[in-house]
Amino acid sequence: MNLFEKWNSISLVKRIIGGLIIGAILGATVPKITAIGILGELFVNALKAVAPVLVFFLVMGALANNKEGGSANMGRVVALYLIGTFASAVVAVIASFLFPVELILPEAAEAAAPAPGGISEVMKTLLLNVVSNPIGSIVNGNYIGILAWAVIFGLALKPASEATKKGINDFAEAISQAVRWVISFAPFGIMGLVFTTVSQNGLGIFATYGRLIAILVGSMAVIAFIVNPIIVFTQIKQNPFPLVFKCLKDSFITAFFTRSSAANIPVNMELCEELGLNEDNYSVSIPLGATINMGGAAITITIMTLATVYTLGIPVDMPTAVLLSVIAAISACGASGVAGGSLLLIPLACSLFGISSDVAMQVVGVGFIIGVIQDSCETGLNSSTDVLFTAAAEFHHWKKEGKPIKW
């Protein structure tokens, strides 16, 4: 017990960095001991398993109790999500124009699932997810369906007795405690994930696609360190960088290695609680952000599409580029919350230029090759921005009330 207390007394970030270093060393020195990688799989699967249940009961409990201020900032949060995603697509277009890159397309490439055929198909899928079976939504991690049914049940339970509402809140708190226990094992999970990455992926292949990776990561850095701070400043009217860096430190790191916005929902919930945000607000905005706040995905879709265009020698004018930004932003909102989800939407954007599905799927194959870096950075940006914009919207409300902002 004494050892356990000493372990918990160390900052979680420091423990995660320690796990990262140890995992990298083990991956380079003993790559054949694959059992180490199981720790990473266990950690990610545990987060994915508990996150849907946590979201469902937190949202339902918040609405059932109808606490004041719970939804006051939701419209502002959604607006920030959409602005951030569109801005990301615009930055990606500018980066592609300034630093055009061509791809080395493989002769054959396989994707994990069939890509959608158009915007209408993406929107149809989103609408069908809203009315999916509530139990099935929890089992399958369908957060659109989870949110929809949690709202419905939460509103239906508003007339219920206080004892019933307290029972729901107690259950939500029990799940939250279970999540905290899972997160305490993050250093071991990160160690396993890093070990798998280092032991299975050589560095040589990344040199071939180094320029493409540089443009992708560079665009995401511009969003994280320039565009997002500007957006946050418009809300809180003070230096945004302490908040930006805190979100990057506490959310980006775990999202980078889990490569899943959905798996990082419990981590973001913990961070929102630490920031002192209203649980009625972030219990809805965080899972919603994992679905529609996809700036990193918009960057990936845009840059990979324009790289394909340059490779094929197709001319691009400014109106088409603007249209691409809109399509990329809308498509990104339909990206799955799992690793590599945005890649399957590249063919949709490529269709704007008349690029065949066969060629587009080869580009998806390139995306999976560089995904170890690209998808990790993309997910880290997406997930950390969920907390950043949620906090910015609530701090804006605090400013209006004269309440001091501190984190």
Side-chain angles (χ1 to χ4, degrees):
M1 182 61 69
N2 197 22
L3 182 62
F4 184 72
E5 289 176 358
K6 287 182 179 179
W7 170 257
N8 284 330
S9 67
I10 303 172
S11 165
L12 179 61
V13 174
K14 292 180 180 178
R15 284 182 277 158
I16 288 176
I17 292 174
L20 189 159
I21 295 172
I22 294 172
I25 293 172
L26 292 175
T29 56
V30 288
K32 294 184 179 180
I33 306 180
T34 55
I36 299 174
I38 295 176
L39 293 173
E41 295 180 32
L42 289 173
F43 176 65
V44 173
N45 287 343
L47 284 177
K48 286 183 178 179
V50 74
V53 184
L54 173 68
V55 169
F56 182 77
F57 278 94
L58 282 178
V59 174
M60 182 171 62
L63 292 175
N65 283 275
N66 192 28
K67 294 178 182 177
E68 291 297 325
S71 59
N73 305 312
M74 192 53 58
R76 183 175 295 273
V77 174
V78 172
L80 292 178
Y81 284 166
L82 298 178
I83 291 170
T85 300
F86 179 71
S88 297
V90 172
V91 166
V93 167
I94 295 172
S96 293
F97 274 31
L98 292 176
F99 309 101
V101 61
E102 296 184 7
L103 303 176
I104 302 173
L105 297 179
E107 293 185 4
E110 296 181 359
I119 291 293
S120 60
E121 189 173 335
V122 173
M123 298 307 297
K124 177 183 176 181
T125 300
L126 287 175
L127 291 174
L128 289 176
N129 283 340
V130 171
V131 294
S132 292
N133 180 283
I135 303 299
S137 295
I138 293 175
V139 171
N140 297 320
N142 167 22
Y143 286 92
I144 288 291
I146 292 170
L147 280 171
W149 287 110
V151 168
I152 292 172
F153 288 135
L155 294 176
L157 283 167
K158 285 179 69 175
S161 66
E162 290 302 315
T164 299
K165 294 178 182 179
K166 185 177 184 304
I168 294 173
N169 285 339
D170 288 344
F171 197 76
E173 180 55 36
I175 300 171
S176 298
Q177 181 58 51
V179 168
R180 285 190 280 271
W181 289 337
V182 172
I183 292 175
S184 68
F185 288 95
F188 300 102
I190 296 299
M191 182 183 72
L193 290 168
V194 173
F195 170 85
T196 300
T197 299
V198 173
S199 62
Q200 292 184 355
N201 298 277
L203 299 177
I205 195 167
F206 297 119
T208 306
Y209 299 103
R211 183 178 172 85
L212 177 61
I213 293 173
I215 295 174
L216 284 164
V217 175
S219 299
M220 294 177 194
V222 168
I223 293 297
F225 297 110
I226 298 177
V227 177
N228 282 350
I230 292 174
I231 294 175
V232 172
F233 178 78
T234 64
Q235 303 302 305
I236 65 176
K237 299 298 190 295
Q238 67 183 62
N239 182 7
F241 285 101
L243 178 60
V244 169
F245 289 139
K246 182 170 183 61
C247 292
L248 289 173
K249 181 188 73 172
D250 293 352
S251 177
F252 183 96
I253 293 175
T254 53
F256 182 92
F257 290 106
T258 60
R259 296 172 61 192
S260 170
S261 296
N264 213 47
I265 286 176
V267 177
N268 284 347
M269 294 275 197
E270 284 283 303
L271 178 54
C272 287
E273 183 179 359
E274 183 182 335
L275 290 170
L277 304 184
N278 190 322
E279 184 176 336
D280 293 342
N281 189 30
Y282 70 72
S283 64
V284 177
S285 67
I286 294 301
L288 182 63
T291 305
I292 69 169
N293 183 36
M294 292 288 176
I299 289 172
T300 297
I301 294 168
T302 302
I303 290 179
M304 296 295 283
T305 299
L306 287 177
T308 310
V309 169
Y310 294 138
T311 301
L312 299 178
I314 301 173
V316 185
D317 54 24
M318 189 54 65
T320 305
V322 173
L323 180 58
L324 174 62
S325 298
V326 175
I327 290 178
I330 295 173
S331 300
C333 293
S336 172
V338 299
S342 62
L343 297 176
L344 295 179
L345 291 163
I346 292 172
L348 189 156
C350 283
S351 66
L352 175 65
F353 299 91
I355 298 172
S356 69
S357 179
D358 289 341
V359 173
M361 293 311 289
Q362 290 183 40
V363 179
V364 174
V366 172
F368 279 113
I369 291 173
I370 65 172
V372 174
I373 295 178
Q374 167 269 323
D375 194 43
S376 296
C377 291
E378 174 188 313
T379 307
L381 176 63
N382 290 343
S383 195
S384 61
T385 307
D386 294 347
V387 182
L388 182 66
F389 286 163
T390 294
E394 183 154 341
F395 289 160
H396 173 82
H397 187 64
W398 289 7
K399 275 276 188 180
K400 291 174 63 176
E401 293 182 338
K403 184 177 178 181
I405 298 174
K406 48 186 179 178
W407 47 77

